[in-house]
Amino acid sequence: MRARLRLLGAALAAAALTALAAVALAPPASAATLTEVTNFGPNPSNLRMYLYVPDSVAPRPGLLVAVHYCTGTGPAMYANTRYAALADRYGYIVVYPSVTRSSQCFDVSSPQALRRDGGSDPVGIKSMVDHVRQRYAVDPDRIFATGISSGAMMTNVLLGLYPDVFSAGAAFSGVPFGCFATTNGSEWNSECANGQVTRTPQQWGDLVRDAHPGYTGRRPRMQTWHGTNDEVLRYPNFGEQIKQWTDVHGLSQTPTYTDSPQAGHTRTRYGGSGDRAPVEAISMQGVSHNLPVDAAQAIRFFGLDTTAPPTTAPPTTAPPTTPPPTTAPPTTPPPTTPPPSTPPPGACRVGYTVDAWNAGLTAAVTVTNTGAATVDGWSLGFTLPAGQRITNGWNATYAPTSGAVTARNVSYNATIAPGASVSVGFQATHTGDTGRPSSFTLNGATCTFA
């Protein structure tokens, strides 16, 4: 069982191992720091609480609980995600719970953890929320949870147990509420992890409703993300989460809205077509358990991407948001200057944008075929600046993870027609240099910068 728990966090272990070093080496963006809080209230499983309060707190700030993965810690979650950097921009407060048991996984399986106020980790996390609410003028309608892997499972649990506390959640590679349940003291449920636990929507919904009997109030909105190639918490769990949360909201299993916000991603919304639909699900083609965490899109779903509560009309000018590594390929023709009549095979143009925070960055790369011939199978070569190391990527495979890197196509984007583009990207850690590579080659031919 311990080996399986290690596997659950293996995809993110590198980030955890470098978390403390990253905190020490990254230049602070502000005077605000991550602070440990003790004696915060009932805490039956001895969790640790880490709190991030930005320098400029909104008048009625939102509160986000960011829950780490197996083998992770609260400080690692702080250092390797963008939630604190976005808090600096929008004025909300972040709590980072941290497990002290040896597995460093959250308890989402015991009977105590799956019953409201039953004990174990959810009680400690609820105490952290109460502690912050006693000391800051938190907007009670803007309290949210998000997590990765084990933290994504805990996000489902928190929304099920405390629908009167949390308004929404974002789960990255999780499973439905109750799926990981065990009665033998084990933290691991192989059937659920392997995607073998299937139920009807009503059965899944009843598990949530039975966790807080008699509750008739609002239910939290849910955003869930999953890679089709998840090797730890298999992809069927994505569909089971959709079943559960649509049923909890009394919604049809048929999406209200479907789009592809970036290549390889399919987004479905249920019960609404806007940014804050009751249920939003993003399927990531070809992505493993080590999926990119798009914090900006989670914050958008919560409505935390503003310093004011969403009870008033939105500002005329939308606040600046970092475009995800999903920028759609350009639909305009190539530049007005025509390419050479006989361009070299693989001639290309590269657009490259970086969004960096204290210890990490995401890079969005757009590769355009400026040649006259279709590229069928491609490899993009570039050298990362010293100190940058790729932790995960999308729409391509990357090797090695530092130094001279080659990104190779995946099955669904191998072909680039003349004038067409592909968008790829990756997340990386850094030690201070967040610059871009100095040059790119496509199948050996040097590219120009857009």
Side-chain angles (χ1 to χ4, degrees), residues 9-19 69 80 389 391 429:
L12 294 152
L17 290 172
T18 60
Y69 40 88
N80 293 287
R389 181 175 296 275
T391 56
T429 57

PDB file of all heavy atoms in Angstrom, residues 9-19 69 80 389 391 429:
ATOM      1  N   GLY A   9       1.899  10.203  -5.587  1.00  0.00           N
ATOM      2  CA  GLY A   9       2.563  11.499  -5.593  1.00  0.00           C
ATOM      3  C   GLY A   9       3.800  11.556  -6.451  1.00  0.00           C
ATOM      4  O   GLY A   9       4.435  12.595  -6.536  1.00  0.00           O
ATOM      5  N   ALA A  10       4.148  10.459  -7.128  1.00  0.00           N
ATOM      6  CA  ALA A  10       5.428  10.414  -7.836  1.00  0.00           C
ATOM      7  C   ALA A  10       5.491  11.432  -8.947  1.00  0.00           C
ATOM      8  O   ALA A  10       6.545  12.026  -9.199  1.00  0.00           O
ATOM      9  CB  ALA A  10       5.670   9.015  -8.401  1.00  0.00           C
ATOM     10  N   ALA A  11       4.380  11.668  -9.624  1.00  0.00           N
ATOM     11  CA  ALA A  11       4.391  12.591 -10.749  1.00  0.00           C
ATOM     12  C   ALA A  11       4.726  14.002 -10.316  1.00  0.00           C
ATOM     13  O   ALA A  11       5.147  14.818 -11.120  1.00  0.00           O
ATOM     14  CB  ALA A  11       3.040  12.566 -11.451  1.00  0.00           C
ATOM     15  N   LEU A  12       4.546  14.313  -9.014  1.00  0.00           N
ATOM     16  CA  LEU A  12       4.806  15.660  -8.525  1.00  0.00           C
ATOM     17  C   LEU A  12       5.914  15.686  -7.488  1.00  0.00           C
ATOM     18  O   LEU A  12       6.160  16.693  -6.846  1.00  0.00           O
ATOM     19  CB  LEU A  12       3.521  16.223  -7.908  1.00  0.00           C
ATOM     20  CG  LEU A  12       2.414  16.442  -8.942  1.00  0.00           C
ATOM     21  CD1 LEU A  12       1.063  16.327  -8.292  1.00  0.00           C
ATOM     22  CD2 LEU A  12       2.572  17.778  -9.618  1.00  0.00           C
ATOM     23  N   ALA A  13       6.633  14.585  -7.317  1.00  0.00           N
ATOM     24  CA  ALA A  13       7.635  14.505  -6.262  1.00  0.00           C
ATOM     25  C   ALA A  13       8.774  15.491  -6.466  1.00  0.00           C
ATOM     26  O   ALA A  13       9.320  16.034  -5.506  1.00  0.00           O
ATOM     27  CB  ALA A  13       8.190  13.095  -6.155  1.00  0.00           C
ATOM     28  N   ALA A  14       9.177  15.713  -7.703  1.00  0.00           N
ATOM     29  CA  ALA A  14      10.293  16.627  -7.954  1.00  0.00           C
ATOM     30  C   ALA A  14       9.990  18.019  -7.432  1.00  0.00           C
ATOM     31  O   ALA A  14      10.847  18.683  -6.848  1.00  0.00           O
ATOM     32  CB  ALA A  14      10.606  16.671  -9.443  1.00  0.00           C
ATOM     33  N   ALA A  15       8.747  18.450  -7.630  1.00  0.00           N
ATOM     34  CA  ALA A  15       8.362  19.764  -7.113  1.00  0.00           C
ATOM     35  C   ALA A  15       8.434  19.784  -5.602  1.00  0.00           C
ATOM     36  O   ALA A  15       8.878  20.761  -4.991  1.00  0.00           O
ATOM     37  CB  ALA A  15       6.957  20.115  -7.578  1.00  0.00           C
ATOM     38  N   ALA A  16       8.010  18.695  -4.957  1.00  0.00           N
ATOM     39  CA  ALA A  16       8.040  18.647  -3.500  1.00  0.00           C
ATOM     40  C   ALA A  16       9.464  18.682  -2.978  1.00  0.00           C
ATOM     41  O   ALA A  16       9.777  19.363  -1.995  1.00  0.00           O
ATOM     42  CB  ALA A  16       7.331  17.391  -3.006  1.00  0.00           C
ATOM     43  N   LEU A  17      10.370  17.946  -3.616  1.00  0.00           N
ATOM     44  CA  LEU A  17      11.745  17.867  -3.147  1.00  0.00           C
ATOM     45  C   LEU A  17      12.467  19.196  -3.245  1.00  0.00           C
ATOM     46  O   LEU A  17      13.380  19.495  -2.475  1.00  0.00           O
ATOM     47  CB  LEU A  17      12.514  16.802  -3.946  1.00  0.00           C
ATOM     48  CG  LEU A  17      12.091  15.355  -3.672  1.00  0.00           C
ATOM     49  CD1 LEU A  17      12.770  14.422  -4.656  1.00  0.00           C
ATOM     50  CD2 LEU A  17      12.431  14.965  -2.249  1.00  0.00           C
ATOM     51  N   THR A  18      12.084  20.011  -4.196  1.00  0.00           N
ATOM     52  CA  THR A  18      12.774  21.285  -4.387  1.00  0.00           C
ATOM     53  C   THR A  18      12.031  22.463  -3.783  1.00  0.00           C
ATOM     54  O   THR A  18      12.454  23.605  -3.921  1.00  0.00           O
ATOM     55  CB  THR A  18      12.966  21.573  -5.889  1.00  0.00           C
ATOM     56  OG1 THR A  18      11.679  21.629  -6.512  1.00  0.00           O
ATOM     57  CG2 THR A  18      13.800  20.501  -6.546  1.00  0.00           C
ATOM     58  N   ALA A  19      10.922  22.197  -3.084  1.00  0.00           N
ATOM     59  CA  ALA A  19      10.068  23.294  -2.630  1.00  0.00           C
ATOM     60  C   ALA A  19      10.796  24.260  -1.711  1.00  0.00           C
ATOM     61  O   ALA A  19      10.771  25.471  -1.912  1.00  0.00           O
ATOM     62  CB  ALA A  19       8.832  22.738  -1.918  1.00  0.00           C
ATOM     63  N   TYR A  69      -0.722  17.350  -2.938  1.00  0.00           N
ATOM     64  CA  TYR A  69      -0.726  15.985  -3.455  1.00  0.00           C
ATOM     65  C   TYR A  69       0.004  15.056  -2.485  1.00  0.00           C
ATOM     66  O   TYR A  69       0.685  15.511  -1.554  1.00  0.00           O
ATOM     67  CB  TYR A  69      -0.017  15.959  -4.815  1.00  0.00           C
ATOM     68  CG  TYR A  69       1.204  16.840  -4.832  1.00  0.00           C
ATOM     69  CD1 TYR A  69       2.448  16.366  -4.435  1.00  0.00           C
ATOM     70  CD2 TYR A  69       1.104  18.195  -5.187  1.00  0.00           C
ATOM     71  CE1 TYR A  69       3.568  17.186  -4.407  1.00  0.00           C
ATOM     72  CE2 TYR A  69       2.219  19.030  -5.147  1.00  0.00           C
ATOM     73  CZ  TYR A  69       3.437  18.519  -4.763  1.00  0.00           C
ATOM     74  OH  TYR A  69       4.541  19.344  -4.715  1.00  0.00           O
ATOM     75  N   ASN A  80       5.039  25.878  -5.701  1.00  0.00           N
ATOM     76  CA  ASN A  80       4.981  25.319  -7.047  1.00  0.00           C
ATOM     77  C   ASN A  80       3.643  25.498  -7.742  1.00  0.00           C
ATOM     78  O   ASN A  80       3.380  24.861  -8.760  1.00  0.00           O
ATOM     79  CB  ASN A  80       5.367  23.841  -6.994  1.00  0.00           C
ATOM     80  CG  ASN A  80       6.824  23.665  -6.610  1.00  0.00           C
ATOM     81  OD1 ASN A  80       7.720  23.919  -7.394  1.00  0.00           O
ATOM     82  ND2 ASN A  80       7.064  23.260  -5.368  1.00  0.00           N
ATOM     83  N   ARG A 389      13.763  23.827 -15.137  1.00  0.00           N
ATOM     84  CA  ARG A 389      13.570  22.381 -15.298  1.00  0.00           C
ATOM     85  C   ARG A 389      12.088  22.100 -15.496  1.00  0.00           C
ATOM     86  O   ARG A 389      11.251  22.496 -14.685  1.00  0.00           O
ATOM     87  CB  ARG A 389      14.086  21.623 -14.072  1.00  0.00           C
ATOM     88  CG  ARG A 389      13.932  20.099 -14.172  1.00  0.00           C
ATOM     89  CD  ARG A 389      14.565  19.404 -12.971  1.00  0.00           C
ATOM     90  NE  ARG A 389      16.006  19.621 -12.928  1.00  0.00           N
ATOM     91  CZ  ARG A 389      16.887  18.878 -13.597  1.00  0.00           C
ATOM     92  NH1 ARG A 389      16.469  17.865 -14.363  1.00  0.00           N
ATOM     93  NH2 ARG A 389      18.170  19.129 -13.503  1.00  0.00           N
ATOM     94  N   THR A 391       8.644  20.360 -15.390  1.00  0.00           N
ATOM     95  CA  THR A 391       7.988  19.390 -14.503  1.00  0.00           C
ATOM     96  C   THR A 391       6.827  18.687 -15.181  1.00  0.00           C
ATOM     97  O   THR A 391       6.477  17.571 -14.816  1.00  0.00           O
ATOM     98  CB  THR A 391       7.487  20.082 -13.226  1.00  0.00           C
ATOM     99  OG1 THR A 391       6.606  21.163 -13.585  1.00  0.00           O
ATOM    100  CG2 THR A 391       8.656  20.635 -12.418  1.00  0.00           C
ATOM    101  N   THR A 429      10.093  24.600 -13.058  1.00  0.00           N
ATOM    102  CA  THR A 429      10.638  25.321 -11.907  1.00  0.00           C
ATOM    103  C   THR A 429      11.816  26.160 -12.377  1.00  0.00           C
ATOM    104  O   THR A 429      12.375  25.926 -13.450  1.00  0.00           O
ATOM    105  CB  THR A 429      11.095  24.343 -10.813  1.00  0.00           C
ATOM    106  OG1 THR A 429      12.067  23.439 -11.368  1.00  0.00           O
ATOM    107  CG2 THR A 429       9.921  23.538 -10.280  1.00  0.00           C
TER     108      THR A 429
END
